[in-house]
Amino acid sequence: MMNTPKTKNISNGSHNIWLIEDNAHFRRTMQWLVNRAPGMKCTHSFESCEDALIKLKEEELPEVILLDINLPGMNGIQGIEKIKLISPETYIVILTVYDDNDKVFDALCAGASGYLLKDSAPEKIIDSIEEALAGGAPMSIQIAHKVLEIFSQLKPKKSDYGLTTREKELLQLMTIGLSRQQIADKLFISFHTVTTHLKNIYSKLHVNSKSGAISKVYKENIL
Amino acid sequence: MMNTPKTKNISNGSHNIWLIEDNAHFRRTMQWLVNRAPGMKCTHSFESCEDALIKLKEEELPEVILLDINLPGMNGIQGIEKIKLISPETYIVILTVYDDNDKVFDALCAGASGYLLKDSAPEKIIDSIEEALAGGAPMSIQIAHKVLEIFSQLKPKKSDYGLTTREKELLQLMTIGLSRQQIADKLFISFHTVTTHLKNIYSKLHVNSKSGAISKVYKENIL
DNA sequence: TGAAAAATACCCTTATCGCGGTATGGGAAA
DNA sequence: TTTCCCATACCGCGATAAGGGTATTTTTCA
């Protein structure tokens, strides 16, 4: 009879930390760093997610995994998902040199609890592990800034472009893939009227094709 | 001739902090707390956004504003937007008792740089102001946790439709509104090849037009 | 009530698209 | 090794779209 897997402290009461990092030198440095922090023990380190996943299936689960993104084989983002499937309670903290918005976004969406850059000060890394253990979201300051950027991009824009009600209606029908004739039939107006409206819409949106208009609608949350 | 408004240190070199908070007792406590922190000066405090906005138009702009959410008149979220219009470089840190996901989401989308709960330790609040000044995103641990929750809800479940890499590439170019010839030029392939690819893409996506395909891409997060 | 804005309709020309084919070379899988 | 998939390329036809007009009717609102 199997119990639901649970993370737990290792025998001596220390927090159980794992490390997934392909650079051997950095891996050893990090392992040393974690082990010299009071109350933490880096019980395992791996050079790939694949290796870590094998161990996850046979071992006591770690409380925190420090995870690189650029790894041979499975990358860190994919790794998060796999790890979370086996051990949903493990806090995963990304430790990488990559700081582009997409990576940050993907990692956090996939279930990472934190995101640190490798140039972080050693004590900052240890603090961050503790913050993760406390249920927080430790981030390098640059990453925190990117998170704010991501949020501000999520803000629904009210860019209107001065479209009239009717024009928005046409645009709406366009987005579901209708042709001009189909739109005309649906709205009981002439094909030529639809053409005129579309001309005006394109001019207001500064596009010159149906596809451009539809893209703009979705990208800028028009309608 | 007016210059673009800039935030700046006040005369003695301290950081200029403002406070918007309707509870008079808490406001005085916070003001005292900030003023006793080295390098910080709470030059003004207000009990409503409206009052603060008036002052913003005639004064040197603050570097940080500590902002309550539940305020008489204009609430804090609306306040953020108004303040950012006048002083986009001011860091706004929310300081409130409300910790529901919607408030957090709205505040961060509106441009808040941080989000603290009022039960935060005084030194944590001062640290957070410094973190905001450094370009970070200070948050109470409960809020950080909620931010992670919000991200995990944003996770797009991508549908696949078995598109090949090349087909996804074509689809990508389609979504920015390019015509077949433009795509061909961009990818250094023949117009006819583009046509063939599009045919296959339509068939896989079960659509029969460019607009239908683009709509599907955005609605179902393909790519 | 009168001007402005919006919605309607039509014409013409050229460009692009959708769809039915066919075909070939390369690489991966079986 | 042989089959299958992918990416490549081409043809033709009819439909649809884009861009340039002009013009009338209806609505809105100052």
Side-chain angles (χ1 to χ4, degrees), chain B residues 8-17 37-43 60 63 130 133:
Chain B
K8 55 182 218 183
N9 292 351
I10 53 183
S11 48
N12 66 0
S14 288
H15 294 296
N16 186 5
I17 318 290
M40 290 187 197
K41 182 101 179 70
C42 180
T43 55
E60 196 166 281
E63 291 166 89
E130 268 159 12
L133 284 164

Side-chain angles (χ1 to χ4, degrees), chain B residues 181-199:
Chain B
Q181 190 55 60
Q182 288 173 315
I183 294 174
D185 294 345
K186 197 141 212 162
L187 296 183
F188 303 107
I189 57 179
S190 141
F191 166 85
H192 303 290
T193 308
V194 174
T195 295
T196 306
H197 280 309
L198 291 196
K199 259 191 297 197

Side-chain angles (χ1 to χ4, degrees), chain A residues 120-179:
Chain A
S120 303
E123 56 271 26
K124 166 75 180 164
I125 295 180
I126 298 301
D127 286 353
S128 295
I129 295 174
E130 268 158 12
E131 197 176 336
L133 284 164
M139 306 202 185
S140 296
I141 206 152
Q142 301 95 315
I143 301 301
H145 191 254
K146 291 194 180 288
V147 167
L148 295 181
E149 247 178 53
I150 290 169
F151 269 101
S152 69
Q153 286 165 7
L154 291 173
K155 176 169 67 178
K157 291 183 193 170
K158 51 184 177 189
S159 41
D160 225 11
Y161 291 100
L163 294 173
T164 68
T165 312
R166 192 58 155 176
E167 285 165 351
K168 286 180 188 166
E169 200 177 354
L170 278 269
L171 202 46
Q172 164 65 33
L173 294 174
M174 252 174 76
T175 61
I176 62 174
L178 300 187
S179 72

Side-chain angles (χ1 to χ4, degrees), chain B residues 46-59:
Chain B
F46 308 89
E47 50 186 284
S48 76
C49 286
E50 286 85 346
D51 292 348
L53 286 164
I54 292 169
K55 200 74 178 174
L56 261 186
K57 286 169 188 156
E58 57 190 43
E59 278 270 330

